[in-house]
Amino acid sequence: MIGALELHGQTLAELEALVAEWGYPSFRAKQLFAWLHRGAAFEAMHTLPAGLRERLQAQATDRPAEVLETRRSALDGTIKLLYRLRDNHVVEGVLMRYRHGVTLCLSTQVGCAMGCAFCASTLDGKARDLTAAEMIGQVLCANTVLESGEAVHNVVLMGSGEPLENYGHTVNFLRLLREPDGLNIGLRHVSLSTCGLVPQMTRLAEEGLPVTLSVSLHAPNDTIRQTIMPVARAYPMNDLIDACRYYVSKTGRRVVFEYALMRGINEKPEHARELAGWLRGLQCHVNLIPLNIVEGRDFYAAGPQEIRAFQAQLEQLHISVTQRREMGADIQGACGQLRRAFISGKTKEG
Ligand code: SAH
């Protein structure tokens, strides 16, 4: 039933219009909304009249995404998830356990069109955008694989895809995510990561959605950035940093810069100094990421000494910086790896 209504992506007002069209009062929409965002199947929605449940079953889906496979890390409790969508596309996610609660890393597209040279998600290009319902579906699936009493508490849009290239669905998803009658995840618990689509960053700043903006910078200047990220040819660093300043001014939230240290490319102390020059006076934080090696790509991680030296250099220049902890190293936790392994038939169900 591929063409079925995707109700998980609809607002309460849209559900109200739908049930009104079907001859039911608006409180039925409120009940339906709550059931959907609890992950209930239509037949289990026992407070709804049987006639409405039947109509829903015939015309809508109660499973925008399904868990296809899970892998649990023996090292740190991280859970890698593969989801199957209704058209049989597969996307992945990661559940990480931190002291401040469970964080879900969520995908916004099947594959990615951005073409970053070091990233596995973009190797086969983009198949399609995910809908808001499919993003909600990922959260609901994730909740089903957690222990009882646990639930997704933080969401990071850092799985496959470029969220700001799928702007409408992503913003709809964010609005639904914080609904008190739904998943009730406050947007202060959400990070959206972008490779740097400047016009959409500016638009997002004006949406009144207080998410943390993460920007995948990975380079201290345009020359280096253009060699590893095609998007840098469209939007130079000057415009990118200006958009970040604007985001901070509109939302009052600091911007986080992601910087994966790659041997021989962007890891030297002079690169750290150049980076600090851009960030001076900007309310921001730098996240240093150890590069995950992607098969078939000629990029290597910087060594621990280089990473420490890079961090020390930034600290000396008063830039707030931390190293991101690696999680799920034993379960192909990194971006795009599990999906690729699945597609090429290397996982047990593949
Ligand atoms: N398209 C968005 C979000 C998805 S990627 C973006 O570009 O930000 C999530 C993060 O993983 C980004 O910071 C991305 O640059 C980073 N990443 C991609 N491939 C990586 C690799 N091989 N090693 C480390 N980080 C990687």
Side-chain angles (χ1 to χ4, degrees), residues 134-162:
E134 287 169 327
M135 297 182 213
I136 293 285
Q138 292 176 58
V139 185
L140 297 175
C141 282
N143 280 338
T144 67
V145 307
L146 288 168
E147 315 277 318
S148 74
E150 275 186 324
V152 172
H153 187 249
N154 310 287
V155 173
V156 297
L157 304 187
M158 293 189 187
S160 70
E162 168 51 49

Side-chain angles (χ1 to χ4, degrees), residues 118-119 158-159 161-162 193-195 216 218 258 291-292 294 335:
F118 46 84
C119 179
M158 293 189 187
E162 168 51 49
S193 185
T194 179
C195 63
S216 301
H218 303 315
E258 307 290 329
L291 185 81
N292 288 299
V294 175
C335 344

Side-chain angles (χ1 to χ4, degrees), residues 9-328:
Q10 299 201 1
T11 60
L12 181 58
E14 286 165 335
L15 291 181
E16 276 169 357
L18 181 81
V19 301
E21 206 179 295
W22 291 355
Y24 293 94
S26 69
F27 78 94
R28 294 299 182 194
K30 208 165 158 60
Q31 290 176 316
L32 175 60
F33 187 92
W35 279 120
L36 289 167
H37 291 258
R38 241 179 276 158
F42 290 136
E43 67 261 24
M45 299 182 180
H46 57 78
T47 56
L48 298 182
L52 177 55
R53 287 200 310 249
E54 276 158 30
R55 188 132 187 203
L56 289 165
Q57 246 157 349
Q59 296 189 34
T61 177
D62 50 14
R63 289 275 169 277
E66 272 175 344
V67 179
L68 179 62
E69 188 183 326
T70 57
R71 284 189 185 188
R72 286 163 201 266
S73 167
L75 301 174
D76 52 32
T78 296
I79 304 173
K80 187 94 205 203
L81 287 148
L82 268 186
Y83 311 95
R84 193 204 322 260
L85 307 174
R86 281 167 41 257
D87 60 1
N88 285 324
H89 275 306
V90 171
V91 290
E92 64 185 73
V94 193
L95 275 166
M96 293 158 286
R97 290 186 167 86
Y98 294 106
R99 256 173 322 201
H100 50 276
V102 178
T103 296
L104 174 66
C105 175
L106 191 127
S107 291
T108 54
Q109 295 177 323
V110 182
C112 184
M114 294 295 107
C116 298
F118 46 84
C119 179
S121 295
T122 198
L123 281 168
D124 301 316
K126 180 183 89 171
R128 69 170 174 86
D129 288 335
L130 295 190
T131 61
E134 287 169 327
M135 297 182 213
I136 293 285
Q138 292 176 58
V139 185
L140 297 175
C141 282
N143 280 338
T144 67
V145 307
L146 288 168
E147 315 277 318
S148 74
E150 275 186 324
V152 172
H153 187 249
N154 310 287
V155 173
V156 297
L157 304 187
M158 293 189 187
S160 70
E162 168 51 49
L164 295 187
E165 207 219 9
N166 183 14
Y167 192 91
H169 289 137
T170 299
V171 164
N172 286 348
F173 162 70
L174 295 174
R175 294 195 198 285
L176 289 165
L177 193 61
R178 67 174 174 186
E179 277 296 317
D181 291 333
L183 284 157
N184 196 20
I185 297 178
L187 296 185
R188 289 177 186 278
H189 297 279
V190 177
S191 288
L192 183 152
S193 185
T194 179
C195 63
L197 298 178
V198 167
Q200 290 93 322
M201 287 166 66
T202 305
R203 194 171 157 199
L204 185 69
E206 291 163 358
E207 294 281 359
L209 298 170
V211 297
T212 299
L213 184 65
S214 257
V215 177
S216 301
L217 199 55
H218 303 315
N221 58 50
D222 282 317
T223 312
I224 298 178
R225 200 157 189 266
Q226 284 170 7
T227 63
I228 54 177
M229 300 180 73
V231 68
R233 284 179 226 138
Y235 305 111
M237 272 187 53
N238 202 28
D239 296 357
L240 181 59
I241 302 298
D242 273 354
C244 293
R245 256 182 239 294
Y246 185 65
Y247 194 84
V248 172
S249 75
K250 290 301 269 189
T251 63
R253 302 188 60 77
R254 70 177 187 178
V255 170
V256 176
F257 291 102
E258 307 290 329
Y259 196 107
L261 288 155
M262 306 175 207
R263 198 199 302 163
I265 295 188
N266 62 2
E267 40 140 21
K268 297 275 182 292
E270 67 258 29
H271 295 141
R273 286 193 289 275
E274 205 177 353
L275 176 64
W278 283 103
L279 306 186
R280 200 161 295 131
L282 176 63
Q283 205 177 313
C284 69
H285 180 80
V286 176
N287 216 345
L288 297 177
I289 315 175
L291 185 81
N292 288 299
I293 305 302
V294 175
E295 232 177 276
R297 305 240 125 168
D298 255 352
F299 289 94
Y300 303 95
Q305 259 178 334
E306 282 73 23
I307 301 181
R308 269 198 300 277
F310 198 95
Q311 179 169 6
Q313 182 66 262
L314 287 180
E315 280 167 350
Q316 212 187 339
L317 296 166
H318 310 292
I319 303 292
S320 157
V321 53
T322 43
Q323 278 186 47
R324 191 202 274 171
R325 240 185 332 144
E326 200 175 353
M327 296 187 84

